């Protein structure tokens, strides 16, 4: 299937990879079909959640586990049931990213992750019932913190 997109021009979409969001995404409830696109580097935490219903819409998303070491969520049972999740190995978790003009202020929404069952290609954005995570978690700040912690650990071992 050929899709004309705002960010990537004309691209070919494998229809078997289309993810159905039966409730849409909050604010975009009428748009139900999306596909996860990689920017050529599958090791990067960054992806695109490209809308198939409207090629002009794509969300920058990130694998939150690759940014925040201690990100730990429990998917509510009603979501597990709704998405027919049978195994944790079939789950992809993404956080929607907001990229302002000042890229150093880029944030990700840890409070409302996008949960995807990769086995049956269904998805849903879920607002977690916790105050542990914010809708605006600063990515660059988190990456710097990781570098400092990693560097500090290395220095201690060398002494």
């Amino acid at each position: 299937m050929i899709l004309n997109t705002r960010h990537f021009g004309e691209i070919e979409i494998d229809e078997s990879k289309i993810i159905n969001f039966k409730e849409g995404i909050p604010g975009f409830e009428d748009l139900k079909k999306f596909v996860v696109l990689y920017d050529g580097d599958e090791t990067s935490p960054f992806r695109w959640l490209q809308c198939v219903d409207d090629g002009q819409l794509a969300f920058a998303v990130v694998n939150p586990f690759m940014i925040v070491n201690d990100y730990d969520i429990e998917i509510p049972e009603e979501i597990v049931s709704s998405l027919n999740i049978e195994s944790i190995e079939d789950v992809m978790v993404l956080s929607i990213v907001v990229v302002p003009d000042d890229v150093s202020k880029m944030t990700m929404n840890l409070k409302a992750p996008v949960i995807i069952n990769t086995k049956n290609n269904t998805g849903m954005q879920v607002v977690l019932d916790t105050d542990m995570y914010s809708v605006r978690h600063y990515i660059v700040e988190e990456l710097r913190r990781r570098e400092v912690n990693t560097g500090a650990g290395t220095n201690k071992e060398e002494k």
Side-chain angles (χ1 to χ4, degrees):
M1 163 184 196
I2 301 295
L3 181 64
N4 192 11
T5 70
R6 175 180 179 190
H7 297 288
F8 309 106
E10 201 172 87
I11 59 173
E12 187 165 345
I13 300 292
D14 179 348
E15 290 186 51
S16 71
K17 303 283 187 196
I18 294 174
I19 302 156
N20 184 31
F21 287 76
K22 66 181 173 190
E23 297 175 12
I25 290 178
F28 303 90
E29 289 83 0
D30 294 338
L31 304 174
K32 312 285 187 193
K33 294 181 186 245
F34 291 82
V35 65
V36 176
L37 301 177
Y38 300 84
D39 247 352
D41 180 7
E42 297 216 11
T43 62
S44 169
F46 293 93
R47 310 276 187 263
W48 289 95
L49 189 60
Q50 173 65 57
C51 183
V52 176
D53 297 324
D54 178 357
Q56 298 302 299
L57 179 66
F59 296 101
V61 292
V62 67
N63 176 336
F65 300 104
M66 293 177 78
I67 305 289
V68 181
N69 285 334
D70 59 352
Y71 187 58
D72 184 26
I73 63 169
E74 188 170 319
I75 302 170
E77 188 55 44
E78 63 269 15
I79 304 305
V80 170
S81 177
S82 176
L83 296 176
N84 296 311
I85 296 170
E86 296 173 0
S87 170
I88 193 69
E89 287 81 25
D90 298 332
V91 176
M92 177 188 294
V93 178
L94 299 170
S95 292
I96 294 179
V97 174
V98 174
V99 185
D101 290 336
D102 180 354
V103 178
S104 70
K105 305 263 190 267
M106 178 173 38
T107 62
M108 63 181 163
N109 184 342
L110 295 179
K111 175 82 172 174
V114 174
I115 309 296
I116 297 170
N117 181 341
T118 59
K119 189 173 182 181
N120 67 10
N121 288 343
T122 57
M124 180 182 293
Q125 187 174 19
V126 179
V127 179
L128 300 174
D129 186 21
T130 179
D131 292 329
M132 287 179 56
Y133 302 113
S134 162
V135 295
R136 290 186 189 90
H137 190 88
Y138 289 96
I139 294 174
V140 173
E141 186 178 298
E142 187 68 39
L143 291 174
R144 283 189 188 129
R145 191 175 309 126
R146 283 181 74 165
E147 285 177 13
V148 167
N149 289 341
T150 303
T154 304
N155 291 338
K156 286 179 186 174
E157 291 174 37
E158 292 173 353
K159 289 183 179 177

